[in-house]
Amino acid sequence: MLKEFTLKTDQEGLYNITAKVAETVKASGVESGIAVVWCPHTTGGITINENACPDVPGDLLFGLSKAFPDRAEFRHAEGNSAAHLKSSCVGASQAIIITEGKLLLGTWQGIYFCEFDGPRQRKFFVKVVAS
C-alpha cells in the first residue's frame, strides 16, 4: 500500500506526522512489516525524535542552524543552501517496524516532516510492506 499526503508548511519547522503514518498502517491491515516514510523534496526531510516535550523540535532546528548556517560564500542561486545541507544531514526517509498492526515506536518517539525552507506545499509518502 502506498499513500501520498500533502502538507502546507508555514515556516521552517518540524511537523508531527505520526498520526497520519499510524492511520495508514491501520488502513493497510498489515500486522507485521515495515512502514517507509519518504520525502521527495531536497529541502525537507523525515526524522524520528521525541514527541513529548514541545521544546525538542525547536532545539533540533536551533542545533541544525548552528551546524549549517546561511553563508555568503554559498553559490546556489536560490539562496537556500543551508536548507539543502540540513536535508542531506537528516535524510529523506525513515523505516519503522510494524508489529501487531502498529508502529513499533519508543514511548517518546514521533515521526516528523522536517521543513527547512518554508513556507511550502509539501508531499510525503507512506509505503506499507507486509513481511
Side-chain angles (χ1 to χ4, degrees):
M1 169 184 218
L2 177 65
K3 179 127 186 192
E4 178 180 337
F5 292 92
T6 59
L7 176 66
K8 183 175 178 355
T9 63
D10 298 324
Q11 60 187 7
E12 181 177 31
L14 272 63
Y15 295 81
N16 192 329
I17 59 171
T18 311
K20 297 284 187 199
V21 178
E23 290 167 12
T24 304
V25 169
K26 184 176 181 180
S28 75
V30 170
E31 288 293 313
S32 179
I34 298 286
V36 178
V37 185
W38 168 256
C39 169
H41 305 287
T42 61
T43 57
I46 304 292
T47 194
I48 296 174
N49 215 298
E50 182 175 333
N51 68 357
C53 176
D55 292 330
V56 171
D59 289 348
L60 288 170
L61 289 172
F62 176 78
L64 286 167
S65 291
K66 287 293 186 182
F68 305 108
D70 281 325
R71 302 184 63 87
E73 298 86 359
F74 288 148
R75 297 175 55 181
H76 181 47
E78 262 185 88
N80 60 355
S81 290
H84 288 287
L85 288 163
K86 293 171 189 176
S87 174
S88 288
C89 179
V90 168
S93 67
Q94 292 288 322
I96 304 103
I97 296 168
I98 300 167
T99 187
E100 297 178 5
K102 296 181 182 170
L103 296 167
L104 184 60
L105 291 170
T107 302
W108 309 112
Q109 288 183 318
I111 306 164
Y112 291 91
F113 183 96
C114 305
E115 173 61 75
F116 298 123
D117 197 27
R120 293 276 191 266
Q121 183 75 23
R122 299 295 201 175
K123 292 182 198 178
F124 67 93
F125 296 87
V126 179
K127 174 74 174 177
V128 179
V129 181
S131 59

